[in-house]
């Protein structure tokens, strides 16, 4: 047993059966989810808004005379705003699919192992790790 003032070292079998360890893995997964959605939000607030601003004339036209041909030509002749919107929509869909898969079928074992290894590294580094206060407190 470790002394009160000395750091505690865990062996592999002890780590994976520890309930606090499982809670910390869950916290790290939640931080990953929040981080991905934060990234998507920032994308929409920067690239998405700039892309919509670049398409403002076409959007005004679409509101008056909406046809799929007008949408196609509006996007075709404005490639940079179209690329920006495609990036934002693609990232949003990828995070939605990733999170839906985790909710419906659970976290895959490979990803769970990666999270467990990361929590183990955070525990080993201690309070100097940037994620320590969110994962281990």
């Amino acid at each position: 047993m470790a002394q009160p003032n000395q750091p505690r070292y865990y062996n592999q079998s002890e780590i994976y059966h520890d309930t606090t360890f499982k809670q910390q893995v869950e916290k790290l997964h939640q931080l990953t989810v929040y981080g991905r959605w934060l990234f998507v939000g920032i994308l929409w607030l920067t690239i998405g808004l700039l892309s919509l601003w670049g398409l403002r004339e076409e959007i005004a036209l679409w509101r008056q005379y909406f046809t799929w041909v007008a949408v196609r030509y509006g996007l075709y002749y404005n490639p940079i705003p179209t690329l920006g919107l495609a990036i934002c929509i693609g990232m949003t869909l990828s995070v939605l699919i990733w999170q839906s898969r985790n909710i419906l079928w659970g976290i895959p074992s490979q990803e769970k192992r990666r999270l467990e290894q990361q929590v183990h590294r955070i525990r080993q580094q201690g309070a100097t790790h940037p994620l320590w206060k969110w994962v281990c407190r």
Side-chain angles (χ1 to χ4, degrees), residues 1-10 123-124:
M1 186 150 184
Q3 297 298 326
N5 294 336
Q6 294 180 354
R8 174 126 160 77
Y9 295 100
Y10 298 89
R123 279 181 159 190
Q124 280 182 335

Side-chain angles (χ1 to χ4, degrees), residues 5 18 24 39 47 49 52-54 87 103 111 121 129:
N5 294 336
D18 188 8
Q24 290 169 349
F39 179 70
I47 295 173
L49 287 178
L52 290 172
W53 183 257
I87 289 170
I103 291 170
E111 190 171 343
R121 285 193 302 269
H129 195 281

Side-chain angles (χ1 to χ4, degrees), residues 46-63:
T46 55
I47 295 173
L49 287 178
L50 288 172
S51 298
L52 290 172
W53 183 257
L55 292 170
R56 67 189 179 278
E57 294 172 3
E58 281 73 18
I59 292 172
L61 181 66
W62 298 340
R63 291 184 65 193

Side-chain angles (χ1 to χ4, degrees), residues 39-77:
F39 179 70
V40 167
I42 290 170
L43 270 179
W44 276 106
L45 288 174
T46 55
I47 295 173
L49 287 178
L50 288 172
S51 298
L52 290 172
W53 183 257
L55 292 170
R56 67 189 179 278
E57 294 172 3
E58 281 73 18
I59 292 172
L61 181 66
W62 298 340
R63 291 184 65 193
Q64 290 176 355
Y65 306 102
F66 181 81
T67 63
W68 289 109
V69 174
V71 172
R72 179 178 174 212
Y73 281 108
L75 294 176
Y76 181 78
Y77 287 107

Side-chain angles (χ1 to χ4, degrees), residues 6 8 10 14 24 30 44 101 110 114 126 135:
Q6 294 180 354
R8 174 126 160 77
Y10 298 89
E14 187 180 10
Q24 290 169 349
Q30 284 299 316
W44 276 106
R101 180 204 63 189
Q110 185 179 9
R114 184 190 61 79
V135 173

Side-chain angles (χ1 to χ4, degrees), residues 5 23-25 32 47 51-52 70 74 84 105 120 128 136:
N5 294 336
Q23 290 172 350
Q24 290 169 349
V25 169
T32 305
I47 295 173
S51 298
L52 290 172
W105 294 295
H120 182 63
T128 60
C136 295

Side-chain angles (χ1 to χ4, degrees), residues 3-23:
Q3 297 298 326
N5 294 336
Q6 294 180 354
R8 174 126 160 77
Y9 295 100
Y10 298 89
N11 63 24
Q12 286 302 102
S13 63
E14 187 180 10
I15 286 176
Y16 299 120
H17 298 295
D18 188 8
T19 55
T20 58
F21 180 77
K22 291 178 183 177
Q23 290 172 350

